[in-house]
Amino acid sequence: MNAYEVNFDGLVGPTHNYSGLSFGNVASTNNVSAASNPKLAAKQGLQKMKALHDLGFKQGVLAPQERPDVESLRRLGFAGSDAEVIARAVKEAPAMLAAATSASSMWTANAATVSPSADTADGRVHFTPANLNNKFHRSIEHPTTGRVLRAMFADEARFAVHEALPAQMHFGDEGAANHTRFCAGYGQPGVEFFVFGAAAFDMRYPKPAKFPARQTLEASQAVARLHGLAEAGVVYAQQDPDTIDAGVFHNDVISVGNGEVLFHHQQAFLNQADVLDEIARKLAARGGRFTAIEVPRAEVTVEEAVKSYLFNSQLLSKPGGKMLIVVPEECRNSERVWSYLQKLIASGGPIDEVRAFDLKQSMQNGGGPACLRLRVALTEAELAAVNPRVLMSDALFATLNDWVERHYRDRLAPEDLADPQLLAECRGALDELTRILGLGSVYPFQLA
């Protein structure tokens, strides 16, 4: 049976703004307080989804979240009507209101970790929503994420959606941004690669000195256990702490994998040669031939990689065995990075095509093409069991573009977060969206 990788891209929410909430994410903190354009952000994301769909890749949509999250604010002691909660929060704790209004769920690489049925003990596709415990504005996402995933992957005979890991520092889990999978074919058993920043219980592992390590070894191990993964099909690696301190807050800012290929920087992992050898050995035992494409720091520095988001790219398998790399426009704007990419695609290796997309609205908050998508490998039968209304088509693209045009603002400044009308606009948009995507009642205001 054929199997495919389906990319489910996050639809940017109506409250997309630049509040600089993500310490350790250089782009996020550098653009704090700038005015955003939610309408343009959503349309840029949709254009990428449609372009890849038109190229023949399987593409889906993952819905945004209700924001501002007034229930989270109520749990923090802000009482009254929705408007009164927002008014009190902006007066007494504006940073908390900004956090509760973040549209960060657009980066669905952090939505969950996904293991295909070929790898799991029970033969189902497993999802574990990420607890995103390191940042308050992201830690409030997983309850809705779980409901949305269950609405998309409802067949419990084929799909298992777990609860998030315990929400505290020892099990900090950032989802697929620190996870990839190598395989000879999407429907064949593969090797799942978990990258962590630090160990919570074992002090022998080094830690970054400047920025937090958001993913723990213990969280990665827990997800592997939940998904029923065999030890022979798992590799754990520690991200180089110095790269975290240089702004590489997730592994997908310094490496990306697909099929039998890992595209990575020279300074991506501790004990890098040993890590690559373990992947190669375990993949060979499962019928694959591993290829590591290492970018030397002499050609692209870590700082250039962070600025351009070279590695926050998508590697997509084309018919015939070659791969397309999808990068943000910022890569074209960097002379050294673009020069490297031209040399890469002319090298005769597995990556022979590059496409750049304008994702500036997302990039200014620290998220590129890879941040915007959640990869799910599915057999034909599993794909047929997915809620069909979340899968990209010409009709869905036109419908969602019209939906964005009617519901989204084209400018959102920090002071606009205090406007109670923004919540009403968001709820109205999401109520319609759940009907478009056939999700049922997944948002708190719909469940009240």
Side-chain angles (χ1 to χ4, degrees):
M1 181 179 290
N2 291 332
Y4 312 95
E5 180 183 80
V6 186
N7 284 285
F8 289 87
D9 278 37
L11 186 57
V12 180
T15 63
H16 165 64
N17 70 91
Y18 302 129
S19 293
L21 299 170
S22 191
F23 179 65
N25 180 331
V26 175
S28 172
T29 53
N30 283 351
N31 290 293
V32 62
S33 298
S36 64
N37 187 330
K39 182 177 293 186
L40 179 59
K43 290 193 170 187
Q44 286 176 343
L46 280 168
Q47 286 162 4
K48 178 175 86 78
M49 295 184 225
K50 181 60 161 54
L52 295 181
H53 165 76
D54 289 347
L55 289 171
F57 299 105
K58 305 293 184 184
Q59 181 68 55
V61 180
L62 204 150
Q65 306 225 349
E66 177 187 346
R67 293 293 182 268
D69 185 345
V70 291
E71 292 310 311
S72 287
L73 292 173
R74 284 194 174 93
R75 290 198 299 273
L76 296 172
F78 300 102
S81 66
D82 291 341
E84 289 168 339
V85 166
I86 293 168
R88 282 196 62 188
V90 75
K91 180 180 178 181
E92 301 174 23
M96 292 184 191
L97 176 63
T101 311
S102 173
S104 55
S105 66
M106 61 194 274
W107 296 301
T108 57
N110 301 120
T113 303
V114 187
S115 293
S117 56
D119 296 351
T120 63
D122 65 3
R124 295 188 293 171
V125 183
H126 284 248
F127 302 79
T128 295
N131 62 28
L132 299 166
N133 190 62
N134 188 261
K135 298 287 182 285
F136 170 67
H137 69 287
R138 302 224 60 182
S139 70
I140 59 180
E141 293 176 12
H142 65 83
T144 295
T145 298
R147 289 192 294 270
V148 171
L149 288 174
R150 290 183 184 96
M152 295 167 61
F153 303 97
D155 184 350
E156 294 184 2
R158 299 185 184 278
F159 307 116
V161 181
H162 300 276
E163 296 297 323
L165 298 181
Q168 50 84 50
M169 60 177 292
H170 291 79
F171 298 100
D173 177 23
E174 300 282 317
N178 292 312
H179 171 268
T180 192
R181 178 177 184 261
F182 303 104
C183 57
Y186 293 125
Q188 298 178 21
V191 174
E192 301 204 18
F193 183 44
F194 292 86
V195 180
F196 61 95
F201 290 98
D202 192 334
M203 296 301 104
R204 293 175 297 175
Y205 291 89
K207 290 180 169 62
K210 182 179 179 182
F211 292 137
R214 303 186 187 185
Q215 182 85 25
T216 67
L217 170 61
E218 293 81 0
S220 298
Q221 292 169 330
V223 171
R225 284 192 295 269
L226 285 169
H227 292 193
L229 305 182
E231 184 179 348
V234 174
V235 173
Y236 301 102
Q238 184 169 10
Q239 192 173 335
D240 188 327
D242 290 340
T243 69
I244 295 176
D245 283 338
V248 182
F249 56 101
H250 288 140
N251 178 61
D252 67 3
V253 183
I254 204 68
S255 78
V256 59
N258 174 54
E260 297 170 298
V261 174
L262 175 64
F263 180 56
H264 66 99
H265 194 270
Q266 182 181 353
Q267 296 169 252
F269 314 109
L270 284 182
N271 306 314
Q272 190 146 287
D274 293 340
V275 169
L276 301 180
D277 180 66
E278 185 179 359
I279 296 171
R281 286 188 290 102
K282 289 187 172 179
L283 186 59
R286 297 195 165 206
R289 297 183 63 182
F290 180 61
T291 298
I293 301 174
E294 183 170 290
V295 181
R297 58 174 168 260
E299 296 194 50
V300 178
T301 66
V302 171
E303 289 73 22
E304 288 170 326
V306 170
K307 185 176 181 180
S308 67
Y309 266 38
L310 167 62
F311 296 98
N312 197 249
S313 53
Q314 292 179 248
L315 281 182
L316 300 170
S317 296
K318 304 190 300 182
K322 294 291 187 176
M323 294 186 188
L324 162 69
I325 186 168
V326 174
V327 300
E329 191 68 32
E330 283 75 4
C331 285
R332 196 199 303 270
N333 297 335
S334 169
E335 182 177 349
R336 277 166 50 87
V337 169
W338 195 247
S339 175
Y340 174 82
L341 283 168
Q342 298 311 302
K343 185 170 72 172
L344 174 70
I345 63 175
S347 68
I351 304 171
D352 72 343
E353 183 181 358
V354 59
R355 287 180 183 252
F357 283 85
D358 180 4
L359 299 167
K360 185 177 180 180
Q361 286 291 314
S362 176
M363 285 289 292
Q364 288 187 163
N365 238 347
C371 284
L372 286 164
R373 58 80 194 262
L374 181 68
R375 296 182 287 179
V376 185
L378 299 167
T379 65
E380 280 186 347
E382 290 160 354
L383 181 56
V386 174
N387 176 350
R389 292 166 69 176
V390 302
L391 299 176
M392 182 54 65
S393 64
D394 292 351
L396 181 59
F397 175 73
T399 298
L400 290 177
N401 254 312
D402 172 69
W403 174 80
V404 169
E405 186 65 37
R406 288 185 289 107
H407 287 289
Y408 281 51
R409 301 186 185 189
D410 57 16
R411 186 179 190 278
L412 199 62
E415 58 270 21
D416 295 327
L417 303 186
D419 181 3
Q421 182 59 28
L422 186 62
L423 175 60
E425 292 171 11
C426 183
R427 286 177 173 172
L430 295 181
D431 205 37
E432 182 179 340
L433 182 66
T434 54
R435 295 193 293 274
I436 293 171
L437 299 180
L439 299 177
S441 297
V442 293
Y443 296 111
F445 75 91
Q446 295 174 320
L447 299 170

